[in-house]
Amino acid sequence: MDNPAQKIRLIMELRRQGISNTDVLSTIERVPRDVFVSPTFRDRAYENIALPIASGQTISQPYIVAYMTQLLNLDKRRKVLEIGTGSGYQTAILARLCRRVYSIERYRNLLDAATKIFEQLKITNITARIGDGYKGWPEQAPFDRIIVTAAAEEVPEMLLEQLAPDGVMVLPVGRDSTSQHIMRITRDLQGNLTEEVLLPVRFVPMVQGVAE
């Protein structure tokens, strides 16, 4: 189902929408989104839309994946924490751009499916586990970059504590789908935090605990 023409159209659309980081664009071109999408929606894998996956979750719109990834300003030295493995698509994009990704998912069925795809694509720098995203991954902290793929009502304090000096965290924040925005939080070398409120978005809510 890998459709080169659709893929080129998508990359051109992302450029028009302001995605200028060539590493991010070439990674989106190389990572096959169709393998992360359920067979029902596979013919729409390279459209610039969010699609449903299991457990009431979604695979984010390619533009949002590209936008949040670009905001992280990644390079091969960075250790990244991802909250919400979901389909694994965003995780696979991150893995090609950084040293290592630690990813936390609250649904075991999503984690198992994503892990199988990582093996199939021979991506070896992802460590993923079941957990409560609000708590992060203290054993592996600090992280150079943190990305959250579900909307919290406010910035989770435990995640902020796990952000390294000179670190960047990107996440959607807002009480409901009408008031969510992408935020970028930067910690300088002295530990001071700067917050930027950016793009309005609609994400599934971030839920505490692990799904039963």
Side-chain angles (χ1 to χ4, degrees):
M1 264 317 298
D2 191 4
N3 186 318
Q6 283 187 329
K7 220 179 232 191
I8 288 163
R9 265 204 306 277
L10 174 62
I11 297 300
M12 287 170 68
E13 190 174 337
L14 295 178
R15 282 180 183 278
R16 280 198 302 274
Q17 289 183 294
I19 304 302
S20 55
N21 184 308
T22 50
D23 291 339
V24 171
L25 288 166
S26 66
T27 301
I28 284 185
E29 199 169 349
R30 289 208 311 272
V31 172
R33 189 173 186 245
D34 53 291
V35 300
F36 295 95
V37 169
S38 74
T40 323
F41 297 106
R42 214 149 267 174
D43 59 334
R44 308 193 69 186
Y46 294 102
E47 291 180 32
N48 196 6
I49 53 172
L51 292 166
I53 58 172
S55 300
Q57 306 300 296
T58 56
I59 177 171
S60 290
Q61 179 190 358
Y63 170 64
I64 296 295
V65 171
Y67 180 81
M68 291 177 78
T69 305
Q70 182 167 279
L71 287 176
L72 287 171
N73 192 20
L74 292 168
D75 61 56
K76 289 293 189 185
R77 300 189 307 277
R78 306 296 177 187
K79 182 168 95 171
V80 179
L81 173 65
E82 179 191 43
I83 305 300
T85 315
S87 69
Y89 177 64
Q90 172 78 75
T91 326
I93 299 280
L94 296 169
R96 281 187 174 267
L97 293 164
C98 71
R99 179 166 58 87
R100 184 148 211 97
V101 184
Y102 292 85
S103 188
I104 297 175
E105 176 51 58
R106 64 188 300 269
Y107 292 100
R108 181 162 298 284
N109 60 325
L110 293 182
L111 185 77
D112 290 347
T115 305
K116 283 196 184 80
I117 298 171
F118 303 150
E119 286 168 9
Q120 184 188 325
L121 296 177
K122 298 182 170 53
I123 304 173
T124 56
N125 62 334
I126 297 169
T127 306
R129 70 166 169 88
I130 288 289
D132 179 347
Y134 274 89
K135 294 179 178 167
W137 201 321
E139 305 82 0
Q140 293 295 343
F143 296 94
D144 304 306
R145 302 287 185 265
I146 298 177
I147 181 170
V148 182
T149 60
E153 289 193 6
E154 50 195 43
V155 179
E157 200 55 47
M158 285 184 81
L159 295 183
L160 270 184
E161 288 166 11
Q162 293 172 38
L163 185 63
D166 200 26
V168 178
M169 176 153 92
V170 173
L171 74 166
V173 179
R175 290 195 177 280
D176 57 52
S177 60
T178 60
S179 63
Q180 292 174 11
H181 284 80
I182 298 280
M183 283 184 72
R184 176 166 59 181
I185 300 170
T186 310
R187 168 168 275 142
D188 68 17
L189 290 168
Q190 287 71 46
N192 305 307
L193 295 171
T194 306
E195 293 186 355
E196 299 164 84
V197 178
L198 302 164
L199 192 74
V201 285
R202 297 180 81 154
F203 271 82
V204 294
M206 187 173 174
V207 181
Q208 285 185 302
V210 172
E212 291 306 318

